[in-house]
Every structure is written in structure tokens, then in C-alpha cells.
């Protein structure tokens, strides 16, 4: 029969589905008892009584213990952390850092932050952002997504978690996991998802600040922010809160959309941010009769290249065109049912284009600008 120590070792392989760290490390294992008949009883602490993933925890604890030799049955009992335990967990997760601090602004942060922007609505910015995030997660990149489009939040539906409520541990908010992506959105805090958000500048700034300071993101490789269209309050607040965030501009080939997108990207000249690149969505429709080699340019052509070149001239740096995403009805359908298109149909031309753009962003080398090297000048 296994010993209690062996059971605890097995439980170290079980991670909290929200925090993504072993339950043994988080102090969530209350007790372990091994009976003479091989029956194992495990008590596990939940962070809150209404933990939405309690069934997942129970299932994974059971599976981990059942895999041990000599185990005949597993009983899992769930308890709830006390206020003191939740406070200790919150302090542990913050790593001793004070509250109201944005972790991505710290000199030792290696997280790349991309603000996905557009000049106007209707260009598919949110669809592109959700699929970029899902692609990165599928590639093993640790990625978070802030649905910063406060009025027009749509990421929860596109990632299949609409109606979800985040767990709060001593004022620390746990992002909702969706297809490997850590997601937070205004929708998750409304009493009804159909209730409109009627906020002005200061409240928008506070909401964005809370998403960046009060959410436990853990160690991320990439953080994406889905911004509202234009250069309004949220874009300005982001530049103030996260000056190191880089901008990804989404446009369509249409001249009118490209001109507005270029103006949106040009905010970088005022905020002193970098533009990571441009993505052209709805580039063309592969001919349903002739095949993909024949492109039907429904919205014109060259808009993405025009935006990249125009921003390059304004900023004095080469701005890459990260990808040209073709029109595909499946992209719309997958967003409606909450399964990212890059997962549902990974070989489709639109998925391939977004996967290439995602990899160009997530695999970029990071410079040392702004990072502390812990060096001192020689005598």
C-alpha cells in the first residue's frame, strides 16, 4: 500500500486549474489518510465555497491517487479556506509585492505585452486577438488576454466561457482559463451579460488598472490586450499604465479602413510606444470555384501594406506586415460557438495566416532596454 508521503508526492502533480500551480505548493491539501485496505481519503481546501472548478479538482486528485500501486479506492472531501488562509495564499501569489502594482512594469518582467488596436470597429480585431491567443497557447506559450474593449467585450463568447464568474481570493482575481488562455473581461463582473456598460474616462481607467494589478496572471510569456477601436480613453490609459506595451494594428484592405488604422497606430508617436506590426484581416476570399490560387479581393487590396509603410514613415522604423488573413465563414462560425478557428480548423488558410502572425509575435527576441542587469560601474 502507498504511504501518505507517496500520496502527497502524487498530489504534487495536480495543479489548481485557475492558479496553475501544484495544490501541495498552495497549501490546498488539508489531510491524507491511507486505510489498511488501500482506501485513500484526501481532504482538499477550495479557495472559495462556490469554486467553479471543484469538479475538475476532484477528478484530477482522484486520478492522481488512483494511479498509485495498492490503491483500492479514493475518497475526496472538499473544504473551504479560512480568511487567514486566503490572505496567506494571496501574499504567496503576490511574491511579497505590494498590492496595486502592475507586475509587467517591473524591471525583471520578461512578459511581452501587445495591445491589439484598430482604427474603427468591424475589422475583426477581437476575432484576430482571440485566435492569436489560442494559437500561442496551443504552441506552449503562456498567454493572458485582457478584454479591454469595455463597451464591446466579446472575448468570453469567442473563447467559449461567456457567463463565467472569476474566483476572488482576498481581493485577488483569478482569470478564467479558456483553451489554455488566461482571460479576464468586464462581462465577468456584470450582474447580467446583456447589461450595457455606461462608464466615462475615470471608470474606464480604473477598470483597466484593476485588470492589470488585481488579477493573478502568474508567469506569462505574452499578454494580449483587445483594445476598443480608435484612440480614446482606454488607449490613452494603457499608454500611461503600461508604457512598454507594443501596438499591433488590425485593418482590412479597404482604403477607408487603412487610413483610419494608420491614424490609430500613429498614437505611438505621442505615447512613445513601439508598433510591433500590422495584420490585414479579410484580405481576400479564396474562390469557391477556382481554388485558393484565385483571390476575390472583395475589400480591395494593399491596405495592410499601406498601413505598415505609412506607420514606418511616421515612426522612422520598419513596421512588418505580420499576416494577411483571408475571409472564411468558418472564422465567424467558430467565434459564435466559442471554439477558436485555429483550433477548430488549423489547416484552413485563415488559421495558417494567424498562426504565422502569432509565432512572429511570440518568438521575437526581447531586448535588454529597461531591464536591470545588476551591474555597477568599475572603479
Amino acid at each position: 500500500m502507498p504511504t501518505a508521503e507517496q500520496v502527497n508526492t502524487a498530489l504534487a502533480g495536480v495543479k489548481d486549474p485557475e492558479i496553475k500551480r501544484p495544490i501541495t505548493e498552495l497549501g490546498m491539501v488539508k489531510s491524507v489518510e491511507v486505510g489498511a485496505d488501500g482506501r485513500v481519503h484526501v481532504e482538499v481546501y477550495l479557495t472559495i465555497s462556490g469554486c467553479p472548478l471543484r469538479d475538475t479538482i476532484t477528478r484530477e486528485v482522484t486520478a492522481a491517487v488512483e494511479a498509485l500501486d495498492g490503491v483500492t479506492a479514493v475518497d475526496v472531501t472538499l473544504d473551504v479556506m479560512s480568511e487567514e488562509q486566503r490572505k496567506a495564499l494571496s501574499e504567496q501569489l503576490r511574491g511579497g509585492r505590494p498590492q496595486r502594482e502592475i507586475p509587467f512594469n517591473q524591471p525583471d518582467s520578461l512578459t511581452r505585452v501587445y495591445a491589439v488596436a484598430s482604427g474603427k470597429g468591424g475589422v475583426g480585431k477581437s476575432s484576430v486577438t482571440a485566435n492569436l491567443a489560442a494559437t500561442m497557447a496551443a504552441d506552449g506559450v503562456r498567454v493572458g488576454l485582457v478584454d479591454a474593449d469595455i463597451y464591446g467585450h466579446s472575448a468570453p463568447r469567442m473563447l467559449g466561457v461567456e457567463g463565467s464568474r472569476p474566483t476572488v481570493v482576498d481581493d485577488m482575481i483569478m482569470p478564467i482559463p479558456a483553451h489554455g488562455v488566461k482571460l479576464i473581461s468586464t462581462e465577468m463582473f456584470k450582474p447580467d451579460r446583456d447589461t450595457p456598460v455606461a462608464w466615462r474616462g475615470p471608470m474606464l481607467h480604473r477598470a483597466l488598472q484593476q485588470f492589470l494589478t488585481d488579477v493573478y496572471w502568474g508567469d506569462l510569456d505574452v499578454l494580449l490586450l483587445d483594445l476598443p477601436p480608435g484612440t480614446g480613453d482606454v488607449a490613452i490609459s494603457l499608454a500611461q499604465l503600461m508604457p512598454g506595451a507594443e501596438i499591433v494594428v488590425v485593418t482590412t484592405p479597404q482604403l477607408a479602413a487603412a487610413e483610419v488604422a494608420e491614424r490609430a497606430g500613429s498614437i505611438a508617436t505621442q505615447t512613445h510606444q513601439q508598433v510591433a506590426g500590422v495584420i490585414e484581416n479579410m484580405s481576400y476570399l479564396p474562390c469557391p470555384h477556382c481554388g485558393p490560387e484565385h483571390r476575390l479581393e472583395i475589400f480591395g487590396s494593399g491596405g495592410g501594406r499601406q498601413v505598415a509603410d505609412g506607420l514606418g514613415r511616421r515612426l522612422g522604423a520598419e513596421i512588418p506586415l505580420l499576416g494577411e488573413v483571408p475571409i472564411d465563414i468558418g472564422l465567424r462560425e467558430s467565434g459564435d460557438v466559442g471554439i477558436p478557428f485555429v483550433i477548430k480548423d488549423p489547416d484552413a488558410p485563415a488559421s495558417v495566416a494567424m498562426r504565422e502572425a502569432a509565432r512572429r509575435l511570440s518568438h521575437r527576441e526581447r531586448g535588454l532596454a529597461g531591464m536591470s542587469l545588476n551591474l555597477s560601474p568599475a572603479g
Side-chain angles (χ1 to χ4, degrees):
M1 290 185 298
T3 63
E5 182 179 354
Q6 289 173 321
V7 173
N8 276 293
T9 301
L11 292 174
V14 178
K15 293 185 178 181
D16 180 272
E18 293 176 305
I19 304 176
K20 302 298 183 185
R21 287 169 63 175
I23 60 174
T24 50
E25 180 184 317
L26 299 174
M28 294 176 63
V29 179
K30 180 179 180 180
S31 66
V32 172
E33 295 179 3
V34 181
D37 58 353
R39 193 178 193 92
V40 179
H41 181 215
V42 180
E43 287 190 277
V44 178
Y45 282 120
L46 300 177
T47 52
I48 59 173
S49 59
C51 178
L53 297 173
R54 57 191 299 139
D55 292 340
T56 301
I57 294 174
T58 300
R59 184 173 59 252
E60 294 186 357
V61 166
T62 301
V65 178
E66 281 182 339
L68 294 173
D69 291 337
V71 173
T72 59
V74 180
D75 297 321
V76 179
T77 302
L78 301 178
D79 199 352
V80 182
M81 286 185 173
S82 65
E83 288 294 332
E84 292 76 14
Q85 288 172 311
R86 278 194 290 270
K87 183 176 181 180
L89 175 59
S90 176
E91 292 176 353
Q92 178 185 352
L93 295 178
R94 292 187 188 278
R97 290 175 174 169
Q99 297 186 17
R100 310 303 183 205
E101 182 178 79
I102 299 177
F104 310 110
N105 285 340
Q106 303 311 305
D108 59 348
S109 174
L110 297 177
T111 304
R112 282 199 169 277
V113 181
Y114 294 112
V116 185
S118 67
K120 59 194 303 182
V123 300
K125 168 184 54 61
S126 296
S127 294
V128 168
T129 306
N131 279 275
L132 288 177
T135 294
M136 291 178 184
D139 280 348
V141 176
R142 297 169 297 182
V143 58
L145 172 56
V146 175
D147 188 359
D149 194 347
I150 306 296
Y151 301 132
H153 48 74
S154 55
R157 171 170 291 282
M158 292 183 174
L159 291 174
V161 291
E162 70 276 11
S164 299
R165 293 288 184 265
T167 300
V168 180
V169 179
D170 193 48
D171 294 330
M172 176 175 282
I173 303 166
M174 300 295 125
I176 298 294
H179 300 286
V181 178
K182 294 182 177 181
L183 172 66
I184 203 70
S185 172
T186 308
E187 179 198 293
M188 300 171 181
F189 301 92
K190 298 195 304 180
D192 187 283
R193 68 183 306 268
D194 293 327
T195 302
V197 178
W199 293 348
R200 302 184 70 178
M203 291 190 69
L204 295 173
H205 181 93
R206 178 69 187 98
L208 182 60
Q209 184 179 41
Q210 188 171 15
F211 286 162
L212 296 172
T213 58
D214 294 351
V215 173
Y216 174 69
W217 293 106
D219 294 326
L220 295 182
D221 298 309
V222 174
L223 178 68
L224 297 171
L225 296 100
D226 182 17
L227 299 186
T231 54
D233 291 314
V234 174
I236 295 171
S237 290
L238 177 65
Q240 295 172 342
L241 294 168
M242 300 271 297
E246 300 179 65
I247 300 173
V248 176
V249 180
V250 178
T251 185
T252 64
Q254 187 177 0
L255 179 60
E259 289 177 342
V260 179
E262 185 176 335
R263 289 199 292 271
S266 296
I267 192 176
T269 61
Q270 301 176 40
T271 59
H272 307 292
Q273 294 171 285
Q274 294 184 1
V275 176
V278 176
I279 296 177
E280 182 184 273
N281 194 29
M282 309 181 199
S283 280
Y284 61 91
L285 176 66
C287 180
H289 305 292
C290 309
E293 65 276 359
H294 182 201
R295 299 184 174 190
L296 302 178
E297 296 175 339
I298 297 175
F299 295 108
S301 63
R305 173 51 60 193
Q306 174 185 320
V307 174
D309 292 344
L311 288 174
R313 288 191 296 271
R314 290 172 183 252
L315 301 173
E318 182 177 352
I319 305 299
L321 178 60
L322 298 170
E324 296 174 315
V325 182
I327 299 171
D328 194 316
I329 191 172
L331 182 58
R332 190 270 304 167
E333 292 173 340
S334 65
D336 287 345
V337 300
I339 303 175
F341 192 53
V342 292
I343 295 175
K344 187 176 181 182
D345 192 353
D347 296 325
S351 296
V352 172
M354 282 190 285
R355 186 159 54 248
E356 291 175 352
R359 287 175 177 170
R360 292 182 68 179
L361 291 171
S362 61
H363 290 76
R364 290 175 61 209
E365 294 184 1
R366 182 179 175 89
L368 298 177
M371 293 184 61
S372 174
L373 299 181
N374 297 318
L375 298 177
S376 300

